[in-house]
Short mmCIF file of all heavy atoms in Angstrom, two decimals:
data_model
loop_
_atom_site.label_atom_id
_atom_site.label_comp_id
_atom_site.label_asym_id
_atom_site.label_seq_id
_atom_site.Cartn_x
_atom_site.Cartn_y
_atom_site.Cartn_z
N ALA A 335 3.17 11.97 20.08
CA ALA A 335 4.27 12.93 20.23
C ALA A 335 4.74 13.41 18.87
O ALA A 335 4.98 12.61 17.99
CB ALA A 335 5.42 12.28 20.97
N GLY A 345 16.57 32.19 18.28
CA GLY A 345 15.74 32.07 17.09
C GLY A 345 14.66 31.04 17.21
O GLY A 345 14.00 30.70 16.24
N LEU A 358 -2.65 24.10 12.44
CA LEU A 358 -2.79 22.76 11.85
C LEU A 358 -4.02 22.03 12.41
O LEU A 358 -4.62 21.21 11.71
CB LEU A 358 -1.52 21.93 12.09
CG LEU A 358 -0.26 22.46 11.41
CD1 LEU A 358 0.93 21.58 11.74
CD2 LEU A 358 -0.44 22.55 9.89
N THR A 399 -1.03 7.96 5.66
CA THR A 399 -1.66 6.89 6.43
C THR A 399 -1.43 5.55 5.71
O THR A 399 -0.83 4.66 6.24
CB THR A 399 -3.17 7.14 6.59
OG1 THR A 399 -3.73 7.35 5.30
CG2 THR A 399 -3.43 8.32 7.47
N TRP A 435 3.25 5.08 9.65
CA TRP A 435 2.10 5.60 10.40
C TRP A 435 1.32 4.46 11.07
O TRP A 435 1.18 3.37 10.51
CB TRP A 435 1.16 6.36 9.45
CG TRP A 435 -0.09 6.88 10.09
CD1 TRP A 435 -0.23 8.02 10.81
CD2 TRP A 435 -1.40 6.28 10.05
NE1 TRP A 435 -1.53 8.16 11.23
CE2 TRP A 435 -2.27 7.12 10.78
CE3 TRP A 435 -1.91 5.11 9.47
CZ2 TRP A 435 -3.63 6.83 10.94
CZ3 TRP A 435 -3.26 4.82 9.63
CH2 TRP A 435 -4.10 5.67 10.36
N SER A 443 -8.87 12.79 21.50
CA SER A 443 -10.02 13.60 21.10
C SER A 443 -10.45 13.21 19.69
O SER A 443 -11.64 13.23 19.36
CB SER A 443 -9.70 15.09 21.19
OG SER A 443 -8.80 15.47 20.17
N TYR A 451 -19.11 10.94 14.97
CA TYR A 451 -19.35 11.07 13.53
C TYR A 451 -19.93 9.78 12.93
O TYR A 451 -20.30 9.73 11.78
CB TYR A 451 -18.00 11.41 12.88
CG TYR A 451 -18.05 11.87 11.45
CD1 TYR A 451 -18.73 13.03 11.08
CD2 TYR A 451 -17.37 11.17 10.45
CE1 TYR A 451 -18.73 13.47 9.77
CE2 TYR A 451 -17.37 11.60 9.14
CZ TYR A 451 -18.05 12.76 8.80
OH TYR A 451 -18.05 13.19 7.49
N GLY A 452 -19.97 8.72 13.75
CA GLY A 452 -20.54 7.45 13.27
C GLY A 452 -19.52 6.46 12.75
O GLY A 452 -19.87 5.49 12.09
N HIS A 457 -8.91 0.33 17.64
CA HIS A 457 -8.49 -0.14 18.95
C HIS A 457 -7.12 0.42 19.29
O HIS A 457 -6.38 0.86 18.42
CB HIS A 457 -8.43 -1.67 18.95
CG HIS A 457 -9.79 -2.29 18.99
ND1 HIS A 457 -10.03 -3.58 18.62
CD2 HIS A 457 -10.99 -1.78 19.37
CE1 HIS A 457 -11.32 -3.84 18.78
NE2 HIS A 457 -11.92 -2.78 19.21
N CYS A 501 -23.76 -3.82 12.77
CA CYS A 501 -24.17 -4.12 14.14
C CYS A 501 -25.25 -5.19 14.08
O CYS A 501 -26.23 -5.06 13.36
CB CYS A 501 -24.70 -2.86 14.81
SG CYS A 501 -25.27 -3.19 16.49
#
Side-chain angles (χ1 to χ4, degrees):
Chain A
L358 296 179
T399 53
W435 177 82
S443 71
Y451 192 61
H457 285 160
C501 178

